mmCIF file of all heavy atoms in Angstrom:
data_model
loop_
_atom_site.group_PDB
_atom_site.id
_atom_site.type_symbol
_atom_site.label_atom_id
_atom_site.label_comp_id
_atom_site.label_asym_id
_atom_site.label_seq_id
_atom_site.Cartn_x
_atom_site.Cartn_y
_atom_site.Cartn_z
ATOM 1 N N ARG A 1 0.813 -1.196 -0.013
ATOM 2 C CA ARG A 1 0.002 -0.033 0.004
ATOM 3 C C ARG A 1 0.864 1.257 -0.010
ATOM 4 O O ARG A 1 0.541 2.224 -0.666
ATOM 5 C CB ARG A 1 -0.921 0.001 1.221
ATOM 6 C CG ARG A 1 -1.770 1.252 1.391
ATOM 7 C CD ARG A 1 -2.637 1.551 0.172
ATOM 8 N NE ARG A 1 -3.697 0.551 0.023
ATOM 9 C CZ ARG A 1 -4.885 0.626 0.580
ATOM 10 N NH1 ARG A 1 -5.188 1.657 1.321
ATOM 11 N NH2 ARG A 1 -5.761 -0.316 0.339
ATOM 12 N N LYS A 2 1.975 1.257 0.744
ATOM 13 C CA LYS A 2 2.858 2.415 0.795
ATOM 14 C C LYS A 2 3.475 2.678 -0.591
ATOM 15 O O LYS A 2 3.608 3.843 -0.991
ATOM 16 C CB LYS A 2 3.988 2.188 1.824
ATOM 17 C CG LYS A 2 3.549 2.241 3.267
ATOM 18 C CD LYS A 2 3.016 3.639 3.607
ATOM 19 C CE LYS A 2 2.581 3.729 5.082
ATOM 20 N NZ LYS A 2 2.025 5.080 5.391
ATOM 21 N N ILE A 3 3.838 1.620 -1.323
ATOM 22 C CA ILE A 3 4.361 1.807 -2.638
ATOM 23 C C ILE A 3 3.272 2.394 -3.569
ATOM 24 O O ILE A 3 3.548 3.271 -4.397
ATOM 25 C CB ILE A 3 4.904 0.468 -3.215
ATOM 26 C CG1 ILE A 3 6.088 -0.021 -2.379
ATOM 27 C CG2 ILE A 3 5.261 0.571 -4.679
ATOM 28 C CD1 ILE A 3 6.587 -1.377 -2.747
ATOM 29 N N GLN A 4 2.044 1.874 -3.429
ATOM 30 C CA GLN A 4 0.982 2.371 -4.246
ATOM 31 C C GLN A 4 0.684 3.838 -3.942
ATOM 32 O O GLN A 4 0.383 4.612 -4.845
ATOM 33 C CB GLN A 4 -0.301 1.517 -3.996
ATOM 34 C CG GLN A 4 -1.443 1.844 -4.969
ATOM 35 C CD GLN A 4 -2.631 0.940 -4.759
ATOM 36 O OE1 GLN A 4 -2.765 0.281 -3.744
ATOM 37 N NE2 GLN A 4 -3.548 0.917 -5.731
ATOM 38 N N GLU A 5 0.766 4.216 -2.641
ATOM 39 C CA GLU A 5 0.567 5.580 -2.257
ATOM 40 C C GLU A 5 1.621 6.483 -2.949
ATOM 41 O O GLU A 5 1.303 7.571 -3.480
ATOM 42 C CB GLU A 5 0.663 5.759 -0.753
ATOM 43 C CG GLU A 5 -0.529 5.238 0.022
ATOM 44 C CD GLU A 5 -0.304 5.372 1.501
ATOM 45 O OE1 GLU A 5 0.702 6.040 1.911
ATOM 46 O OE2 GLU A 5 -1.096 4.765 2.307
ATOM 47 N N ALA A 6 2.877 6.024 -2.934
ATOM 48 C CA ALA A 6 3.976 6.827 -3.526
ATOM 49 C C ALA A 6 3.778 6.974 -5.033
ATOM 50 O O ALA A 6 3.957 8.101 -5.561
ATOM 51 C CB ALA A 6 5.299 6.147 -3.244
ATOM 52 N N VAL A 7 3.367 5.914 -5.732
ATOM 53 C CA VAL A 7 3.137 5.981 -7.188
ATOM 54 C C VAL A 7 1.979 6.915 -7.487
ATOM 55 O O VAL A 7 2.086 7.798 -8.352
ATOM 56 C CB VAL A 7 2.922 4.592 -7.751
ATOM 57 C CG1 VAL A 7 2.500 4.683 -9.220
ATOM 58 C CG2 VAL A 7 4.134 3.718 -7.601
ATOM 59 N N LEU A 8 0.864 6.748 -6.771
ATOM 60 C CA LEU A 8 -0.296 7.617 -6.990
ATOM 61 C C LEU A 8 0.018 9.052 -6.695
ATOM 62 O O LEU A 8 -0.435 9.985 -7.418
ATOM 63 C CB LEU A 8 -1.481 7.146 -6.198
ATOM 64 C CG LEU A 8 -2.202 5.873 -6.666
ATOM 65 C CD1 LEU A 8 -3.172 5.387 -5.591
ATOM 66 C CD2 LEU A 8 -2.891 6.076 -7.995
ATOM 67 N N SER A 9 0.834 9.294 -5.657
ATOM 68 C CA SER A 9 1.199 10.635 -5.301
ATOM 69 C C SER A 9 2.019 11.311 -6.408
ATOM 70 O O SER A 9 1.827 12.476 -6.751
ATOM 71 C CB SER A 9 1.962 10.671 -3.989
ATOM 72 O OG SER A 9 1.164 10.177 -2.934
ATOM 73 N N PHE A 10 2.973 10.544 -6.961
ATOM 74 C CA PHE A 10 3.782 11.035 -8.077
ATOM 75 C C PHE A 10 2.921 11.404 -9.277
ATOM 76 O O PHE A 10 3.133 12.421 -9.919
ATOM 77 C CB PHE A 10 4.839 9.987 -8.442
ATOM 78 C CG PHE A 10 5.778 10.449 -9.537
ATOM 79 C CD1 PHE A 10 6.833 11.277 -9.261
ATOM 80 C CD2 PHE A 10 5.577 10.001 -10.824
ATOM 81 C CE1 PHE A 10 7.696 11.710 -10.279
ATOM 82 C CE2 PHE A 10 6.434 10.451 -11.871
ATOM 83 C CZ PHE A 10 7.498 11.259 -11.563
ATOM 84 N N VAL A 11 1.941 10.508 -9.585
ATOM 85 C CA VAL A 11 1.054 10.795 -10.727
ATOM 86 C C VAL A 11 0.170 12.005 -10.415
ATOM 87 O O VAL A 11 0.002 12.888 -11.299
ATOM 88 C CB VAL A 11 0.141 9.554 -11.000
ATOM 89 C CG1 VAL A 11 -0.869 9.886 -12.073
ATOM 90 C CG2 VAL A 11 0.979 8.346 -11.392
ATOM 91 N N LEU A 12 -0.335 12.100 -9.192
ATOM 92 C CA LEU A 12 -1.185 13.244 -8.856
ATOM 93 C C LEU A 12 -0.465 14.556 -9.003
ATOM 94 O O LEU A 12 -1.049 15.571 -9.450
ATOM 95 C CB LEU A 12 -1.706 13.083 -7.411
ATOM 96 C CG LEU A 12 -2.595 14.188 -6.861
ATOM 97 C CD1 LEU A 12 -3.827 14.389 -7.707
ATOM 98 C CD2 LEU A 12 -2.955 13.956 -5.406
ATOM 99 N N GLU A 13 0.836 14.583 -8.591
ATOM 100 C CA GLU A 13 1.584 15.807 -8.680
ATOM 101 C C GLU A 13 1.825 16.217 -10.155
ATOM 102 O O GLU A 13 2.165 17.355 -10.426
ATOM 103 C CB GLU A 13 2.951 15.608 -7.975
ATOM 104 C CG GLU A 13 2.834 15.371 -6.488
ATOM 105 C CD GLU A 13 3.104 16.610 -5.679
ATOM 106 O OE1 GLU A 13 3.380 17.663 -6.255
ATOM 107 O OE2 GLU A 13 3.027 16.547 -4.432
ATOM 108 N N ARG A 14 1.689 15.273 -11.078
ATOM 109 C CA ARG A 14 1.793 15.593 -12.505
ATOM 110 C C ARG A 14 0.460 16.105 -13.046
ATOM 111 O O ARG A 14 0.416 16.689 -14.111
ATOM 112 C CB ARG A 14 2.214 14.392 -13.356
ATOM 113 C CG ARG A 14 3.383 13.580 -12.785
ATOM 114 C CD ARG A 14 4.749 14.191 -13.040
ATOM 115 N NE ARG A 14 5.132 15.249 -12.142
ATOM 116 C CZ ARG A 14 5.511 15.108 -10.882
ATOM 117 N NH1 ARG A 14 5.531 13.900 -10.323
ATOM 118 N NH2 ARG A 14 5.885 16.124 -10.163
ATOM 119 N N ARG A 15 -0.642 15.835 -12.337
ATOM 120 C CA ARG A 15 -1.963 16.171 -12.833
ATOM 121 C C ARG A 15 -2.543 17.420 -12.198
ATOM 122 O O ARG A 15 -3.512 17.984 -12.704
ATOM 123 C CB ARG A 15 -2.942 14.990 -12.561
ATOM 124 C CG ARG A 15 -2.622 13.740 -13.313
ATOM 125 C CD ARG A 15 -2.868 13.916 -14.818
ATOM 126 N NE ARG A 15 -2.903 12.667 -15.534
ATOM 127 C CZ ARG A 15 -1.859 12.068 -16.104
ATOM 128 N NH1 ARG A 15 -0.674 12.679 -16.057
ATOM 129 N NH2 ARG A 15 -1.967 10.970 -16.771
ATOM 130 N N ALA A 16 -2.071 17.800 -11.030
ATOM 131 C CA ALA A 16 -2.622 18.933 -10.307
ATOM 132 C C ALA A 16 -1.467 19.785 -9.742
ATOM 133 O O ALA A 16 -0.397 19.269 -9.491
ATOM 134 C CB ALA A 16 -3.553 18.461 -9.165
ATOM 135 N N SER A 17 -1.773 21.054 -9.540
ATOM 136 C CA SER A 17 -0.778 21.964 -8.980
ATOM 137 C C SER A 17 -0.620 21.764 -7.495
ATOM 138 O O SER A 17 -1.503 21.143 -6.845
ATOM 139 C CB SER A 17 -1.146 23.402 -9.253
ATOM 140 O OG SER A 17 -2.308 23.752 -8.501
ATOM 141 N N LYS A 18 0.461 22.215 -6.938
ATOM 142 C CA LYS A 18 0.670 22.109 -5.495
ATOM 143 C C LYS A 18 -0.438 22.793 -4.724
ATOM 144 O O LYS A 18 -0.958 22.253 -3.721
ATOM 145 C CB LYS A 18 2.030 22.693 -5.121
ATOM 146 C CG LYS A 18 3.228 21.826 -5.496
ATOM 147 C CD LYS A 18 3.376 20.660 -4.589
ATOM 148 C CE LYS A 18 4.666 19.925 -4.843
ATOM 149 N NZ LYS A 18 4.888 18.762 -3.983
ATOM 150 N N LYS A 19 -0.853 23.981 -5.195
ATOM 151 C CA LYS A 19 -1.871 24.712 -4.480
ATOM 152 C C LYS A 19 -3.234 23.969 -4.511
ATOM 153 O O LYS A 19 -3.961 23.929 -3.517
ATOM 154 C CB LYS A 19 -2.060 26.099 -5.120
ATOM 155 C CG LYS A 19 -0.940 27.053 -4.774
ATOM 156 C CD LYS A 19 -1.236 28.455 -5.328
ATOM 157 C CE LYS A 19 -0.130 29.470 -4.929
ATOM 158 N NZ LYS A 19 -0.434 30.823 -5.418
ATOM 159 N N GLU A 20 -3.543 23.311 -5.647
ATOM 160 C CA GLU A 20 -4.808 22.592 -5.727
ATOM 161 C C GLU A 20 -4.764 21.378 -4.820
ATOM 162 O O GLU A 20 -5.778 21.066 -4.155
ATOM 163 C CB GLU A 20 -5.072 22.147 -7.175
ATOM 164 C CG GLU A 20 -6.420 21.441 -7.316
ATOM 165 C CD GLU A 20 -6.739 20.989 -8.714
ATOM 166 O OE1 GLU A 20 -5.845 21.034 -9.557
ATOM 167 O OE2 GLU A 20 -7.874 20.577 -8.960
ATOM 168 N N ILE A 21 -3.633 20.665 -4.749
ATOM 169 C CA ILE A 21 -3.542 19.515 -3.874
ATOM 170 C C ILE A 21 -3.677 19.949 -2.409
ATOM 171 O O ILE A 21 -4.391 19.312 -1.626
ATOM 172 C CB ILE A 21 -2.187 18.804 -4.082
ATOM 173 C CG1 ILE A 21 -2.111 18.209 -5.467
ATOM 174 C CG2 ILE A 21 -1.978 17.721 -3.001
ATOM 175 C CD1 ILE A 21 -0.770 17.629 -5.852
ATOM 176 N N PHE A 22 -3.010 21.039 -2.035
ATOM 177 C CA PHE A 22 -3.147 21.561 -0.658
ATOM 178 C C PHE A 22 -4.580 21.937 -0.383
ATOM 179 O O PHE A 22 -5.078 21.652 0.720
ATOM 180 C CB PHE A 22 -2.195 22.751 -0.470
ATOM 181 C CG PHE A 22 -2.022 23.143 0.985
ATOM 182 C CD1 PHE A 22 -0.950 22.660 1.693
ATOM 183 C CD2 PHE A 22 -2.909 24.015 1.612
ATOM 184 C CE1 PHE A 22 -0.786 23.030 3.037
ATOM 185 C CE2 PHE A 22 -2.745 24.377 2.923
ATOM 186 C CZ PHE A 22 -1.679 23.892 3.604
ATOM 187 N N GLU A 23 -5.220 22.585 -1.316
ATOM 188 C CA GLU A 23 -6.612 23.008 -1.151
ATOM 189 C C GLU A 23 -7.525 21.800 -0.968
ATOM 190 O O GLU A 23 -8.388 21.769 -0.063
ATOM 191 C CB GLU A 23 -7.055 23.806 -2.345
ATOM 192 C CG GLU A 23 -8.491 24.286 -2.345
ATOM 193 C CD GLU A 23 -8.884 24.983 -3.621
ATOM 194 O OE1 GLU A 23 -8.201 26.026 -3.933
ATOM 195 O OE2 GLU A 23 -9.806 24.554 -4.324
ATOM 196 N N LEU A 24 -7.356 20.763 -1.782
ATOM 197 C CA LEU A 24 -8.146 19.558 -1.611
ATOM 198 C C LEU A 24 -7.900 18.908 -0.268
ATOM 199 O O LEU A 24 -8.834 18.436 0.376
ATOM 200 C CB LEU A 24 -7.836 18.559 -2.749
ATOM 201 C CG LEU A 24 -8.282 18.952 -4.159
ATOM 202 C CD1 LEU A 24 -7.625 18.013 -5.204
ATOM 203 C CD2 LEU A 24 -9.808 18.873 -4.248
ATOM 204 N N TYR A 25 -6.658 18.904 0.150
ATOM 205 C CA TYR A 25 -6.257 18.267 1.423
ATOM 206 C C TYR A 25 -6.969 18.950 2.598
ATOM 207 O O TYR A 25 -7.584 18.284 3.444
ATOM 208 C CB TYR A 25 -4.748 18.344 1.586
ATOM 209 C CG TYR A 25 -4.211 17.797 2.865
ATOM 210 C CD1 TYR A 25 -3.970 16.442 3.036
ATOM 211 C CD2 TYR A 25 -3.922 18.637 3.949
ATOM 212 C CE1 TYR A 25 -3.469 15.914 4.217
ATOM 213 C CE2 TYR A 25 -3.419 18.165 5.118
ATOM 214 C CZ TYR A 25 -3.190 16.804 5.254
ATOM 215 O OH TYR A 25 -2.685 16.291 6.424
ATOM 216 N N VAL A 26 -6.899 20.260 2.695
ATOM 217 C CA VAL A 26 -7.435 20.991 3.858
ATOM 218 C C VAL A 26 -8.960 20.976 3.854
ATOM 219 O O VAL A 26 -9.585 21.210 4.872
ATOM 220 C CB VAL A 26 -6.903 22.416 3.969
ATOM 221 C CG1 VAL A 26 -5.413 22.435 4.182
ATOM 222 C CG2 VAL A 26 -7.287 23.237 2.748
ATOM 223 N N ASN A 27 -9.587 20.715 2.704
ATOM 224 C CA ASN A 27 -11.033 20.613 2.619
ATOM 225 C C ASN A 27 -11.575 19.214 2.894
ATOM 226 O O ASN A 27 -12.719 19.025 3.249
ATOM 227 C CB ASN A 27 -11.549 21.074 1.255
ATOM 228 C CG ASN A 27 -11.571 22.606 1.139
ATOM 229 O OD1 ASN A 27 -12.127 23.289 1.986
ATOM 230 N ND2 ASN A 27 -10.959 23.128 0.107
ATOM 231 N N GLU A 28 -10.699 18.195 2.743
ATOM 232 C CA GLU A 28 -11.150 16.813 2.945
ATOM 233 C C GLU A 28 -10.760 16.235 4.308
ATOM 234 O O GLU A 28 -11.394 15.324 4.784
ATOM 235 C CB GLU A 28 -10.535 15.942 1.864
ATOM 236 C CG GLU A 28 -11.076 16.126 0.480
ATOM 237 C CD GLU A 28 -12.521 15.611 0.303
ATOM 238 O OE1 GLU A 28 -12.905 14.722 1.070
ATOM 239 O OE2 GLU A 28 -13.220 16.069 -0.601
ATOM 240 N N ILE A 29 -9.750 16.758 4.927
ATOM 241 C CA ILE A 29 -9.182 16.149 6.132
ATOM 242 C C ILE A 29 -10.220 16.058 7.288
ATOM 243 O O ILE A 29 -10.932 17.034 7.521
ATOM 244 C CB ILE A 29 -7.902 16.903 6.591
ATOM 245 C CG1 ILE A 29 -7.104 16.073 7.576
ATOM 246 C CG2 ILE A 29 -8.264 18.293 7.141
ATOM 247 C CD1 ILE A 29 -6.443 14.928 6.970
ATOM 248 N N TYR A 30 -10.274 14.890 7.918
ATOM 249 C CA TYR A 30 -11.195 14.696 9.022
ATOM 250 C C TYR A 30 -10.601 15.342 10.284
ATOM 251 O O TYR A 30 -9.435 15.132 10.636
ATOM 252 C CB TYR A 30 -11.380 13.190 9.266
ATOM 253 C CG TYR A 30 -12.132 12.824 10.525
ATOM 254 C CD1 TYR A 30 -13.487 13.088 10.651
ATOM 255 C CD2 TYR A 30 -11.497 12.208 11.589
ATOM 256 C CE1 TYR A 30 -14.189 12.780 11.819
ATOM 257 C CE2 TYR A 30 -12.149 11.851 12.747
ATOM 258 C CZ TYR A 30 -13.517 12.137 12.850
ATOM 259 O OH TYR A 30 -14.205 11.810 13.983
ATOM 260 N N LEU A 31 -11.418 16.143 10.984
ATOM 261 C CA LEU A 31 -10.946 16.909 12.159
ATOM 262 C C LEU A 31 -11.872 16.709 13.363
ATOM 263 O O LEU A 31 -12.144 17.648 14.088
ATOM 264 C CB LEU A 31 -10.780 18.379 11.806
ATOM 265 C CG LEU A 31 -9.584 18.714 10.880
ATOM 266 C CD1 LEU A 31 -9.662 20.148 10.442
ATOM 267 C CD2 LEU A 31 -8.304 18.409 11.603
ATOM 268 N N GLY A 32 -12.346 15.480 13.554
ATOM 269 C CA GLY A 32 -13.061 15.214 14.752
ATOM 270 C C GLY A 32 -14.581 15.111 14.580
ATOM 271 O O GLY A 32 -15.104 15.216 13.504
ATOM 272 N N GLN A 33 -15.243 14.956 15.724
ATOM 273 C CA GLN A 33 -16.682 14.793 15.720
ATOM 274 C C GLN A 33 -17.283 15.638 16.855
ATOM 275 O O GLN A 33 -16.721 15.630 17.973
ATOM 276 C CB GLN A 33 -17.083 13.331 15.921
ATOM 277 C CG GLN A 33 -18.582 13.068 15.834
ATOM 278 C CD GLN A 33 -18.920 11.567 15.760
ATOM 279 O OE1 GLN A 33 -18.008 10.742 15.773
ATOM 280 N NE2 GLN A 33 -20.200 11.266 15.722
ATOM 281 N N VAL A 34 -18.337 16.302 16.560
ATOM 282 C CA VAL A 34 -19.078 17.067 17.575
ATOM 283 C C VAL A 34 -20.550 16.682 17.484
ATOM 284 O O VAL A 34 -21.160 16.823 16.458
ATOM 285 C CB VAL A 34 -18.916 18.571 17.352
ATOM 286 C CG1 VAL A 34 -19.772 19.364 18.356
ATOM 287 C CG2 VAL A 34 -17.446 19.014 17.463
ATOM 288 N N GLY A 35 -21.055 16.134 18.564
ATOM 289 C CA GLY A 35 -22.417 15.622 18.537
ATOM 290 C C GLY A 35 -22.498 14.461 17.581
ATOM 291 O O GLY A 35 -21.706 13.531 17.615
ATOM 292 N N SER A 36 -23.474 14.508 16.649
ATOM 293 C CA SER A 36 -23.648 13.446 15.665
ATOM 294 C C SER A 36 -23.021 13.804 14.320
ATOM 295 O O SER A 36 -23.249 13.070 13.361
ATOM 296 C CB SER A 36 -25.149 13.161 15.482
ATOM 297 O OG SER A 36 -25.813 14.374 15.073
ATOM 298 N N PHE A 37 -22.228 14.885 14.278
ATOM 299 C CA PHE A 37 -21.643 15.302 13.016
ATOM 300 C C PHE A 37 -20.142 14.997 12.967
ATOM 301 O O PHE A 37 -19.423 15.251 13.909
ATOM 302 C CB PHE A 37 -21.810 16.829 12.849
ATOM 303 C CG PHE A 37 -23.185 17.235 12.396
ATOM 304 C CD1 PHE A 37 -24.150 17.619 13.293
ATOM 305 C CD2 PHE A 37 -23.504 17.220 11.029
ATOM 306 C CE1 PHE A 37 -25.409 17.995 12.914
ATOM 307 C CE2 PHE A 37 -24.793 17.629 10.631
ATOM 308 C CZ PHE A 37 -25.724 18.014 11.545
ATOM 309 N N ASN A 38 -19.695 14.500 11.810
ATOM 310 C CA ASN A 38 -18.269 14.453 11.489
ATOM 311 C C ASN A 38 -17.868 15.783 10.929
ATOM 312 O O ASN A 38 -18.555 16.374 10.088
ATOM 313 C CB ASN A 38 -17.961 13.354 10.475
ATOM 314 C CG ASN A 38 -18.142 11.955 11.065
ATOM 315 O OD1 ASN A 38 -17.951 11.749 12.251
ATOM 316 N ND2 ASN A 38 -18.469 11.004 10.223
#
């Protein structure tokens, strides 16, 4: 899985800019649960 992650990451960096990847990351990352909401 780690090798697959590295390969996919290399491909993704060829398909999207650094800013877009960072933007996707900070919008998708799980940051806890409050009440019944993720």
